[in-house]
Amino acid sequence: MNIFRIGLLLGIRQIQRASIWTNILIVFVMALTFLNLIAVSGILVGLIVGSERALQEKSLGDIIVTTKDNETTIIDTPAFTRVLDSIPEIQDYTVRFKEGAQVEANYKTRRDLSQDKNVISGSIVGIDPIKEDAVTGLSTTVVEGEYLDTSEDGYLLLGALTLDRYTAGFADITGSLENIYPGDTVRVTIGQNTKEFFVKGIINAKAGEVSRSIYIPERELRRLGNRVTQDAEEIAIRLQANTDATMVKNALINSGLAEQAKIRTFNEALPKFLVDIKNTFNVLGTFIGSIGIIVASITIFIIIFINALARRRFIGILKGIGIDRTAIEIAYVIQAGVYALAGSLIGVVITYAILIPYFDANPINFPFSDGILVAEPIGTLVRFITLFIITLLAGYIPAWMIARGNTLNAILGRK
Amino acid sequence: MSQTSTPIITAVGITKSFGSGDLFTTILKGIDVTIMQGEFVAIMGKSGAGKSTLMYQLSVLDEPTSGTLTIAGESIERKNEQERTQFRLQTLGYVFQDYALVPDLNAEENVMIPLVMRGMNWTEAKTVAQAAIAAVGLPTKYKNLPSELSGGEQQRIAVARAVAGKPKILFADEPTANLDSFSSQQVIDLITSLNRDFGQTIVMVTHEREYALGCNRIIHMEDGLIIREEILKPM
Ligand SMILES: Nc1ncnc2c1ncn2[C@@H]1O[C@H](COP(=O)(O)OP(=O)(O)O)[C@@H](O)[C@H]1O
Ligand SMILES: [Mg+2]
């Protein structure tokens, strides 16, 4: 206990007497190390989480209902939605009818039949524009022209990734519609039926699925697709804020709806590759951060080593007058610990008070994601503890090396 | 003084050698010395005579090559490194040649830490340290860092640190070597008064004969041997 108090006194005084710039520099290095540890994996993971969020907001909703594995539609969709209407936790839902379609553009200006048609194959989605907008805010993703109007026939929305102007070359394999603007006409073919539509608007969302699709009102899709029933392919459900999706999902399943469709929460419906990439990025970020830890621990080692070496004579004198060398080792461990603590604290404040709010408000604009910074408190704590322990070791080892030396040699400055 | 005195240091046949092969040298060539409780002994001799080397053996900072050493009734040879550190803490006090204060600690803290190490609680150690600093004549300098004290003042703090824990023996190896004559006299007066007023046992190396005049006995060394003893004041 007394050994610890002496170690504490020596450690604190060493920090106090060190030059302010030395202290600032060391704490700065520690803060950067900590940030490196948090931010690299945080941004990599945040990239994917941003993309997941986009999927949740713009496509899947909080709960996504799809067809059972060997069915083509949600069985008795009207009965299904009647149950949804009765559940108070459900804020909105949107029923989607999906078909494969061919869309042809520039057919009026095509000079002769030997010229290639400007045609693409894509997924066409029939929606109730108002309900879809309530769930996914589809109208907010309109970047040119206007959103669909429920009362109008003969208009569609084109996903930006169907247009050459937005894909700028990289979609050559799948083809794209050339030189299309709102007000132009395109021909949509589903099966045997073809209809001409005006392009009402262009939509572009960070969820690639949305930007690759073509949207028309549901009754037009049912007409073109020769559909006789009201059965749809997909229902995306938006829950009231702070509602547990798993709970609602279980309630739906318990009311027998699983017989009619596959019901999954957003998390369950996430594409597996996203989850895999997220885990990979986390490992990658931690690995990159670990290099930072090694650099920081070497920095601390050198600083403490030089410091203890410069004080070797006084360490000898302390031992000479009867101070246990453990007290001296404790002093340096405390010194290293204070640097690690101060650095991490600054790192935590920067991360949670500045970086995370900043990136939430101004996500990094990646083509497929609004990248944010993700730093789970548990992960941060684990990284902090790791950094702290390694720093303590990096302080202890040089102190131990010097304090264990011969007392008289240290006092006399002999080798 | 006629009271029966007890020996506090008994050294028999102490030798100290360094190196090996061609570099092998024997610095202490067989020292027999007994120092009594309450005695003030000065060691004198030319530079290189082996005075410091002898001091390191007697003060348990070093281990002799051969010979036996008994201090305060304890046999030193059997002690391991940790026990020797503990022994120095409990029994001995040191004043080194150049003021050996820890530069990061102020005067009071320098004096306090051996006391705390001995198990004294913080406030008590502080009180004792302040009293010791006042006793060496620097009652206003508790909070000064070593760098804010003159050489003489630092050495007086070093004396305070050495004696605050009431050691059985105080060792001082040329405590005035780096001081001007005024400060030297102050430090010598201080050390001398510790013996005169409190009966402190002291072993001190000095070059100046006048600084040894307050002693009971002067031991003269030459080439690793005691060549002569001079009794100034019989015990
Ligand atoms: N570690 C050592 N190795 C070899 N020679 C030493 C060592 N320490 C001291 N000496 C030699 O021992 C002699 C006595 O040294 P010292 O005891 O310091 O003398 P003094 O204190 O009387 O001036 C000197 O010649 C010195 O060079
Ligand atoms: Mg000497």
Side-chain angles (χ1 to χ4, degrees):
Chain A
M1 195 55 220
N2 286 323
I3 290 183
F4 185 81
R5 291 205 68 172
I6 293 171
L8 188 66
L9 177 73
L10 288 170
I12 290 172
R13 290 292 181 262
Q14 270 167 25
I15 294 171
Q16 284 178 336
R17 309 288 182 240
S19 115
I20 178 83
W21 294 110
T22 312
N23 284 338
I24 288 176
L25 188 75
I26 299 169
V27 170
F28 184 65
V29 167
M30 295 310 292
L32 282 185
T33 307
F34 189 77
L35 280 180
N36 183 31
L37 209 54
I38 298 294
V40 175
S41 57
I43 286 186
L44 286 175
V45 170
L47 209 76
I48 305 304
V49 171
S51 153
E52 290 173 357
R53 273 196 195 175
L55 269 180
Q56 183 173 18
E57 277 166 23
K58 296 300 173 197
S59 173
L60 298 177
D62 300 319
I63 292 179
I64 183 79
V65 179
T66 50
T67 59
K68 295 188 73 172
D69 284 341
N70 33 28
E71 298 288 341
T72 53
T73 56
I74 296 166
I75 299 165
D76 198 357
T77 305
F80 196 104
T81 56
R82 273 195 298 279
V83 178
L84 297 185
D85 286 331
S86 70
I87 296 178
E89 284 87 356
I90 294 178
Q91 186 182 328
D92 282 299
Y93 62 87
T94 174
V95 178
R96 296 173 185 151
F97 298 79
K98 286 186 164 183
E99 290 282 356
Q102 295 205 311
V103 181
E104 185 183 356
N106 301 309
Y107 43 88
K108 285 177 186 157
T109 56
R110 192 158 153 248
R111 286 196 202 90
D112 57 75
L113 294 176
S114 66
Q115 207 179 335
D116 280 346
K117 287 183 181 178
N118 183 203
V119 64
I120 60 161
S121 301
S123 170
I124 188 158
V125 187
I127 53 167
D128 175 336
I130 291 171
K131 296 200 97 181
E132 179 67 31
D133 196 34
V135 174
T136 64
L138 187 64
S139 69
T140 63
T141 63
V142 172
V143 287
E144 293 177 37
E146 284 167 33
Y147 189 60
L148 292 176
D149 186 329
T150 320
S151 62
E152 290 175 341
D153 275 352
Y155 288 93
L156 58 61
L157 295 175
L158 282 178
L161 296 181
T162 64
L163 303 181
D164 65 332
R165 292 186 285 127
Y166 284 87
T167 53
F170 68 75
D172 281 354
I173 330 119
T174 55
S176 56
L177 302 174
E178 288 156 25
N179 207 21
I180 289 295
Y181 290 88
D184 293 345
T185 54
V186 293
R187 270 185 200 151
V188 175
T189 306
I190 298 174
Q192 304 301 314
N193 303 332
T194 297
K195 183 180 174 182
E196 189 168 68
F197 284 87
F198 282 102
V199 175
K200 183 125 195 233
I202 311 293
I203 51 175
N204 197 2
K206 286 291 154 81
E209 170 90 7
V210 174
S211 304
R212 270 189 298 273
S213 297
I214 298 131
Y215 288 87
I216 56 177
E218 57 165 308
R219 62 175 181 284
E220 297 232 50
L221 187 122
R222 290 216 306 280
R223 205 180 302 142
L224 266 176
N226 290 330
R227 295 201 178 199
V228 286
T229 71
Q230 298 264 357
D231 290 348
E233 275 78 7
E234 197 173 283
I235 303 172
I237 299 172
R238 181 70 62 212
L239 300 177
Q240 305 283 3
N242 303 322
T243 310
D244 179 21
T246 308
M247 192 198 76
V248 176
K249 182 197 102 171
N250 290 338
L252 293 176
I253 289 174
N254 289 340
S255 54
L257 292 182
E259 298 294 316
Q260 289 163 258
K262 191 195 282 181
I263 305 165
R264 288 173 298 169
T265 64
F266 154 74
N267 275 319
E268 293 165 341
L270 277 178
K272 184 173 179 306
F273 79 92
L274 272 187
V275 178
D276 290 345
I277 295 179
K278 190 161 73 167
N279 292 338
T280 310
F281 276 7
N282 204 355
V283 171
L284 198 69
T286 306
F287 178 74
I288 295 171
S290 308
I291 297 174
I293 290 199
I294 294 172
V295 173
S297 60
I298 292 174
T299 309
I300 289 286
F301 183 97
I302 292 172
I303 287 165
I304 299 288
F305 189 79
I306 290 176
N307 192 309
L309 204 60
R311 285 174 165 71
R312 180 168 170 256
R313 175 153 187 268
F314 297 104
I315 290 173
I317 283 162
L318 284 171
K319 286 162 66 193
I321 63 173
I323 306 299
D324 196 298
R325 73 176 155 98
T326 312
I328 295 150
E329 289 158 2
I330 289 172
Y332 284 103
V333 169
I334 285 173
Q335 204 178 347
V338 167
Y339 288 139
L341 215 59
S344 304
L345 211 68
I346 291 174
V348 164
V349 169
I350 292 177
T351 304
Y352 288 96
I354 299 175
L355 291 182
I356 291 184
Y358 175 82
F359 283 119
D360 274 345
N362 311 282
I364 309 169
N365 191 1
F366 293 108
F368 56 93
S369 162
D370 284 329
I372 53 169
L373 181 74
V374 173
E376 300 284 346
I378 293 291
T380 303
L381 187 69
V382 168
R383 287 174 168 87
F384 161 71
I385 291 172
T386 313
L387 180 66
F388 192 64
I389 290 174
I390 291 179
T391 308
L392 293 189
L393 266 178
Y396 172 73
I397 293 169
W400 170 80
M401 284 165 60
I402 289 172
R404 73 197 249 270
N406 179 284
T407 302
L408 190 58
N409 286 349
I411 294 175
L412 299 177
R414 295 195 299 222
K415 63 121 195 87
Chain B
M1 278 173 263
S2 55
Q3 80 206 64
T4 24
S5 17
T6 41
I8 192 155
I9 301 179
T10 312
V12 181
I14 300 287
T15 72
K16 181 70 188 179
S17 304
F18 292 104
S20 57
D22 287 348
L23 294 175
F24 184 85
T25 44
T26 300
I27 306 300
L28 297 180
K29 297 173 178 167
I31 302 277
D32 299 317
V33 66
T34 302
I35 289 163
M36 296 297 165
Q37 191 168 328
E39 193 177 14
F40 184 4
V41 174
I43 300 175
M44 295 189 70
K46 288 202 203 75
S47 183
K51 306 182 295 293
S52 294
T53 309
L54 177 60
M55 286 290 273
Y56 302 143
Q57 314 310 313
L58 298 183
S59 65
V60 201
L61 282 169
D62 203 358
E63 287 178 82
T65 308
S66 67
T68 60
L69 182 61
T70 308
I71 301 178
E74 293 193 49
S75 170
I76 304 304
E77 296 93 82
R78 299 176 180 283
K79 292 186 185 298
N80 66 27
E81 183 64 39
Q82 236 174 344
E83 289 165 340
R84 296 157 66 86
T85 304
Q86 187 62 25
F87 185 78
R88 291 195 298 266
L89 176 70
Q90 299 294 348
T91 318
L92 311 177
Y94 295 84
V95 178
F96 295 94
Q97 180 170 320
D98 31 15
Y99 0 106
L101 301 177
V102 178
D104 301 324
L105 303 182
N106 65 30
E108 179 185 285
E109 290 163 343
N110 262 286
V111 179
M112 272 173 78
I113 49 171
L115 302 175
V116 175
M117 192 72 213
R118 281 166 161 233
M120 210 180 264
N121 77 45
W122 203 259
T123 23
E124 192 187 349
K126 199 172 186 134
T127 314
V128 173
Q130 291 188 352
I133 293 170
V136 300
L138 298 169
T140 59
K141 312 269 173 147
Y142 301 145
K143 302 293 177 196
N144 288 43
L145 288 174
S147 59
E148 296 160 350
L149 295 167
S150 74
E153 288 170 334
Q154 286 185 53
Q155 200 60 306
R156 281 147 72 189
I157 298 293
V159 172
R161 180 176 68 182
V163 299
K166 305 204 183 315
K168 294 207 168 88
I169 309 159
L170 174 66
F171 292 94
D173 187 353
E174 299 193 40
T176 60
N178 294 327
L179 300 181
D180 60 62
S181 58
F182 178 74
S183 301
S184 295
Q185 193 59 57
Q186 276 188 317
V187 169
I188 292 297
D189 289 348
L190 175 61
I191 291 174
T192 307
S193 70
L194 289 170
N195 174 259
R196 187 188 57 229
D197 301 342
F198 305 105
Q200 175 73 56
T201 308
I202 299 171
V203 183
M204 177 176 81
V205 174
T206 180
H207 270 303
E208 312 290 332
R209 187 174 173 83
E210 55 166 313
Y211 294 157
L213 293 179
C215 295
N216 299 102
R217 175 165 56 131
I218 301 176
I219 293 173
H220 293 273
M221 284 187 73
E222 204 175 293
D223 198 19
L225 286 168
I226 295 177
I227 51 159
R228 186 162 62 91
E229 293 201 14
E230 193 183 341
I231 312 266
L232 301 185
K233 267 187 273 169
M235 285 292 289

